[in-house]
Amino acid sequence: MAKILAHFPLNVMILPGEKMRLHIFEPRYKQLITECLATEKTFGIPFVASSKLLNMGSEVKVTKLITKFANGEMDIEIEGVSMFYLIDFEDPIAGKLYAGGQVERIENSDCSDDTQLINFFCSFYTSFNGKKLTNESLQNIRVFDLARWLNLNNQQKYELADLKSARSRQLYLVHQMRFLLLIKEQEKKLKNNFLLN
């Protein structure tokens, strides 16, 4: 379903539930964040790569005003709400300093009923963290929740969101987990060879 969002283009992709801090200094974004703090509205972060605005991004909400400076600059904390496809982009939108436009949310599909995927993820998590996940932590888990645990880079998050089906996103995550396990196994072999020498 399409919706209108104010836009703050950046070179970041933020998964639902993921948090990060921003320093706000441009007048247009000071206006945007002041409005978001007053109304609790969300805004969009269309993804910029190599100075080019791409067709996807993250819907986020401001969770905390950390510091407000005398000159109006701010340090804030934001949290991902959803991922979206960018339908149109107007810069600036009428009567505002900042950009905006229509977006369509990308479904964050439930994967808690995919036993094979969840079992693989549990093995992966135990291998990397040395502890087991509880059943409660995996109830109603969604594909972007799993992605958040994998600490993907911005390009990988973009590739994941760009896949056209829930199944292809799940397979992408399995591929990423297998790759990380392979790297860990190689590091372990190198460490053992070093100790033997």
Side-chain angles (χ1 to χ4, degrees), residues 59-70:
E59 180 183 3
V60 301
K61 63 183 177 182
V62 181
T63 55
K64 190 185 297 181
L65 173 61
I66 299 165
T67 309
K68 185 160 187 179
F69 301 93

Side-chain angles (χ1 to χ4, degrees), residues 13 15 18 83 152-161:
M13 290 287 283
L15 295 165
E18 194 171 25
M83 312 294 278
L152 303 176
N153 65 35
N154 288 316
Q155 184 60 40
Q156 290 167 329
K157 292 174 193 175
Y158 185 89
E159 290 169 0
L160 174 67

Side-chain angles (χ1 to χ4, degrees), residues 22-188:
L22 293 177
H23 178 70
I24 310 300
F25 60 92
E26 290 185 56
R28 57 185 167 168
Y29 300 129
K30 288 193 280 189
Q31 181 186 63
L32 169 59
I33 299 306
T34 299
E35 291 176 10
C36 290
L37 288 166
T39 64
E40 298 184 2
K41 73 177 181 179
T42 60
F43 65 95
I45 299 183
F47 185 50
V48 176
S50 302
S51 301
K52 183 180 175 187
L53 184 72
L54 301 186
N55 67 337
M56 279 186 295
S58 310
E59 180 183 3
V60 301
K61 63 183 177 182
V62 181
T63 55
K64 190 185 297 181
L65 173 61
I66 299 165
T67 309
K68 185 160 187 179
F69 301 93
N71 63 1
E73 293 183 15
M74 293 173 259
D75 289 331
I76 61 168
E77 180 184 80
I78 58 172
E79 180 178 335
V81 173
S82 71
M83 312 294 278
F84 62 74
Y85 293 112
L86 191 61
I87 298 172
D88 60 47
F89 184 83
E90 186 181 345
D91 188 15
I93 55 175
K96 301 293 182 184
L97 299 174
Y98 52 80
Q102 198 172 27
V103 302
E104 183 175 338
R105 280 185 169 173
I106 298 170
E107 181 192 5
N108 187 7
S109 57
D110 186 3
C111 56
S112 58
D113 60 349
D114 186 333
T115 309
Q116 188 175 6
L117 175 64
I118 295 301
N119 287 343
F120 190 83
F121 176 70
C122 287
S123 298
F124 168 84
Y125 184 87
T126 301
S127 176
F128 267 78
N129 298 292
K131 52 187 175 186
K132 293 186 177 184
L133 288 166
T134 63
N135 288 339
E136 294 79 31
S137 64
L138 295 170
Q139 285 181 350
N140 303 315
I141 196 158
R142 301 196 170 280
V143 72
F144 292 137
D145 298 331
L146 287 184
R148 203 172 60 242
W149 292 66
L150 299 182
N151 203 22
L152 303 176
N153 65 35
N154 288 316
Q155 184 60 40
Q156 290 167 329
K157 292 174 193 175
Y158 185 89
E159 290 169 0
L160 174 67
D162 198 29
L163 295 169
K164 303 305 180 198
S165 71
R167 187 62 188 152
S168 59
R169 290 188 190 112
Q170 291 174 6
L171 291 173
Y172 183 90
L173 293 181
V174 169
H175 174 75
Q176 292 298 324
M177 286 186 274
R178 284 189 173 134
F179 179 70
L180 289 169
L181 288 168
L182 179 64
I183 289 173
K184 183 170 184 179
E185 187 60 33
Q186 293 298 323
E187 287 174 349
K188 188 176 177 183

Side-chain angles (χ1 to χ4, degrees), residues 4-18:
I4 304 289
L5 289 177
H7 288 319
F8 185 163
L10 286 171
N11 183 31
V12 293
M13 290 287 283
I14 302 170
L15 295 165
E18 194 171 25

